Amino acid sequence: SMKDTKKLRTIEGVVEEALPNAMFRVKLPDNTLALGHLAGKMRLYHIKIIPGDRVLIEFTPYDQMKGRITRRL
């Protein structure tokens, strides 16, 4: 729902590794690694993501290690 969106943290990261099932290991600015899955819209438009790409990854307050990749930069 819309009222939940403000709780999301969006961070710019760099894709380190592509994993099965549209999952990616993403390095964050503080050098931690997070797991990101590809947002549905990106899958829909077949946006290809490869290691080295800069992406935006969205985290909920509940899980800072797993996020959703919302766009390629």
Side-chain angles (χ1 to χ4, degrees), residues 21-43:
N21 304 325
M23 300 283 285
F24 297 87
R25 212 178 295 289
V26 179
K27 182 176 269 190
L28 304 180
D30 64 1
N31 276 327
T32 57
L33 286 177
L35 206 57
H37 70 270
L38 214 47
K41 275 233 163 60
M42 292 185 71
R43 274 195 207 200

Side-chain angles (χ1 to χ4, degrees), residues 6-69:
K6 61 179 175 299
K7 295 201 193 92
L8 296 173
R9 278 175 53 235
T10 304
I11 299 178
E12 198 177 300
V14 176
V15 176
E16 286 275 298
E17 188 186 355
L19 305 168
N21 304 325
M23 300 283 285
F24 297 87
R25 212 178 295 289
V26 179
K27 182 176 269 190
L28 304 180
D30 64 1
N31 276 327
T32 57
L33 286 177
L35 206 57
H37 70 270
L38 214 47
K41 275 233 163 60
M42 292 185 71
R43 274 195 207 200
L44 208 63
Y45 299 122
H46 298 292
I47 291 170
K48 290 277 173 270
I49 288 188
I50 57 170
D53 281 350
R54 282 169 49 238
V55 293
L56 283 184
I57 184 165
E58 238 175 40
F59 294 96
T60 66
Y62 312 107
D63 193 345
Q64 303 296 320
M65 295 320 299
K66 286 211 294 282
R68 189 169 72 135
I69 296 173

